[in-house]
Amino acid sequence: MNSSNNTSSTSSPRIILFTGKGGVGKTTTAAATALCAAEQGSRTLVISTDPAHSLGDALHKALSPEPQQIAPNLFAQELDVYYSMKKYWGNVRSLLLTVFQWQGLKSIVAEELAALPGMEEASAFLWLDNYVQAREYDCIIIDSAPTGETLTLLTLPQTVQWWMTRAFPFQKAAVQTVGAAVRTITGIPLDKGFLELDAIFEKLQRMQRLMTNPEVASIRLVMNPERMVIQEARRAYTYLQMYGFNVDAVIVNRVLPDIATRNNFFAEYIASQKKYLQEIEASFAPLPMLKVPHMGKEVFGMDLLREISANLYAHYKPLDFYYKECPFELAQQGKNYILKTKIPFASEGEIQVKRLSDELIIHIKNRRKNLFLPRFLSYYTLEHHTLVDNWLSLTFAPASENA
């Protein structure tokens, strides 16, 4: 395990984002982590970016779109995209409404579309930028939306840039030139809106750089010991790593204790759970696997969150970095792509590689490592593999050349 202390070497607050398939318990683990950090003396903010907010339920507190203190050192916030735009980005909304109406959309449709694609996730980045600049908190815990929406974060700057270059029938310089004239006709601050959107784009880029800084931010994947949940977590892990986001741990929630086997009703589930726990450990190694036992009841309120954090961080400090290395690399080499993944303590003759659709299965003796491939590699054929200095290199060639 690669572990280090808090972010004393950096001026940014420590940032930890929790993600996973909907319903796995990421909100309770994020809330428990935040409470643990606060009670250990860190001024902590926990933010929910999930439109289906349940952070307030987990904390058993009524929350709002603004941060509010709910315990010593602990602040909480449930983001609202429309509130955020109204407070900070009103000129952008006016700009979008004007453009959509110019393009012939009905007012009610234009109103609905005035929230940019990914703006719910972007709001988190923009609020984060405010907090990072103000140095208000020692650490920020993000209870993110389910995995798919979280992955939207990866392309937010590119998405906003696409909108800026294609959604508007004019360029930045032209807007600044004609802005006053347009404003006298429409009453809309078009030039200010465009400049504000430009500033948002710059903030998103800045926050993306911060979120991919392994000295500041890390992501923790939350899952249950169930097949479909593990599959989605593997896919998310691939994409998070590919885009440079540091995943430092996997958290397995709702693990039934062995004592449950005394009840024949749970015997089959316990047996499959043990198999899946082994699969998780093999698939995500060398990341540490933190386990949270099933509480046997609905989890909400500070007392139960403390119980979760006591189990979750029995051998760790909540704000430490548990792992910082990238376990695989993907690079282009001519027309081919080379994927490298670390396979310690193995020889080339012991390794067998099999591809099933977008999943790569690596067998090493009696061990198995599963890795989901980026979807674009479906256009490429796995040509060969080699093992050098504990790194397995797999060459993918364009499928048409091997047809």
Side-chain angles (χ1 to χ4, degrees), residues 342-375:
K342 202 165 189 179
I343 306 289
F345 313 118
S347 61
E348 190 163 355
E350 299 171 331
I351 295 175
Q352 292 181 320
V353 180
K354 184 178 181 181
R355 179 179 183 175
L356 295 175
S357 185
D358 61 348
E359 187 174 5
L360 203 64
I361 302 172
I362 304 169
H363 287 274
I364 309 108
K365 292 185 177 178
N366 61 341
R367 293 179 292 143
R368 189 177 77 172
K369 184 180 181 71
N370 295 68
L371 182 67
F372 271 97
L373 300 171
R375 286 193 173 94

Side-chain angles (χ1 to χ4, degrees), residues 150-224:
T150 299
L151 292 174
T152 304
L153 284 170
L154 303 176
T155 56
L156 277 176
Q158 293 89 338
T159 300
V160 175
Q161 188 177 41
W162 186 93
W163 271 77
M164 289 177 66
T165 57
R166 290 172 174 80
F168 306 122
F170 32 66
Q171 297 299 316
K172 179 177 177 180
V175 169
Q176 291 175 289
T177 302
V178 305
V182 173
R183 191 160 57 244
T184 59
I185 299 171
T186 65
I188 300 298
L190 193 61
D191 53 340
K192 290 183 180 179
F194 196 95
L195 291 173
E196 196 169 285
L197 188 58
D198 201 30
I200 286 177
F201 175 59
E202 291 177 5
K203 286 183 179 182
L204 291 177
Q205 286 185 313
R206 182 164 64 217
M207 285 311 303
Q208 191 176 52
R209 287 194 296 270
L210 191 68
M211 289 296 294
T212 54
N213 182 349
E215 301 298 324
V216 172
S218 61
I219 294 175
R220 292 178 186 168
L221 287 171
V222 185
M223 65 193 78
N224 305 136

Side-chain angles (χ1 to χ4, degrees), residues 81-374:
V81 62
Y82 292 101
Y83 176 87
S84 299
M85 289 191 74
K86 184 178 179 181
K87 179 171 181 176
Y88 292 111
W89 312 295
N91 289 328
V92 171
R93 177 180 172 277
S94 298
L95 169 66
L96 294 173
L97 279 173
T98 301
V99 170
F100 290 140
Q101 287 167 356
W102 279 355
Q103 293 178 346
L105 292 178
K106 293 180 180 180
S107 294
I108 191 169
V109 177
E111 288 278 5
E112 193 65 23
L113 290 176
L116 283 168
M119 200 62 182
E120 196 83 46
E121 295 80 10
S123 293
F125 270 9
L126 298 170
W127 281 93
L128 273 174
D129 186 71
N130 290 342
Y131 299 140
V132 168
Q133 300 305 316
R135 304 289 189 265
E136 294 183 57
Y137 303 101
D138 300 317
C139 65
I140 300 172
I141 309 297
I142 304 171
D143 167 34
S144 76
T147 313
E149 287 83 349
T150 299
L151 292 174
T152 304
L153 284 170
L154 303 176
T155 56
L156 277 176
Q158 293 89 338
T159 300
V160 175
Q161 188 177 41
W162 186 93
W163 271 77
M164 289 177 66
T165 57
R166 290 172 174 80
F168 306 122
F170 32 66
Q171 297 299 316
K172 179 177 177 180
V175 169
Q176 291 175 289
T177 302
V178 305
V182 173
R183 191 160 57 244
T184 59
I185 299 171
T186 65
I188 300 298
L190 193 61
D191 53 340
K192 290 183 180 179
F194 196 95
L195 291 173
E196 196 169 285
L197 188 58
D198 201 30
I200 286 177
F201 175 59
E202 291 177 5
K203 286 183 179 182
L204 291 177
Q205 286 185 313
R206 182 164 64 217
M207 285 311 303
Q208 191 176 52
R209 287 194 296 270
L210 191 68
M211 289 296 294
T212 54
N213 182 349
E215 301 298 324
V216 172
S218 61
I219 294 175
R220 292 178 186 168
L221 287 171
V222 185
M223 65 193 78
N224 305 136
E226 299 171 5
R227 183 177 181 275
M228 289 181 65
V229 175
I230 296 169
Q231 293 287 83
E232 183 165 326
R234 284 181 184 142
R235 180 171 282 109
Y237 183 48
T238 295
Y239 279 89
L240 289 166
Q241 291 288 312
M242 189 173 72
Y243 283 96
F245 287 76
N246 178 46
V247 180
D248 76 341
V250 296
I251 296 172
V252 187
N253 192 31
R254 303 192 189 113
V255 178
L256 285 174
D258 285 339
I259 194 172
T261 54
R262 296 179 184 177
N263 186 330
N264 289 333
F265 182 80
F266 291 108
E268 187 175 344
Y269 184 85
I270 293 290
S272 66
Q273 176 182 267
K274 287 183 177 180
K275 180 187 73 172
Y276 288 133
L277 286 171
Q278 292 173 350
E279 191 175 316
I280 292 168
E281 192 168 11
S283 295
F284 293 94
L287 297 182
M289 180 174 69
L290 285 63
K291 291 184 282 187
V292 181
H294 200 297
M295 304 298 289
K297 53 189 169 184
E298 189 177 5
V299 177
F300 61 89
M302 299 297 189
D303 290 340
L304 285 176
L305 291 177
R306 284 190 190 92
E307 193 173 338
I308 287 176
S309 67
N311 285 293
L312 187 57
Y313 299 110
H315 306 293
Y316 300 87
K317 291 181 180 179
L319 303 186
D320 277 1
F321 291 89
Y322 307 142
Y323 196 80
K324 288 185 180 179
E325 294 181 8
C326 182
F328 72 85
E329 302 170 2
L330 182 63
Q332 189 171 9
Q333 191 176 88
K335 294 182 178 180
N336 298 339
Y337 281 92
I338 310 297
L339 187 147
K340 295 183 178 180
T341 184
K342 202 165 189 179
I343 306 289
F345 313 118
S347 61
E348 190 163 355
E350 299 171 331
I351 295 175
Q352 292 181 320
V353 180
K354 184 178 181 181
R355 179 179 183 175
L356 295 175
S357 185
D358 61 348
E359 187 174 5
L360 203 64
I361 302 172
I362 304 169
H363 287 274
I364 309 108
K365 292 185 177 178
N366 61 341
R367 293 179 292 143
R368 189 177 77 172
K369 184 180 181 71
N370 295 68
L371 182 67
F372 271 97
L373 300 171

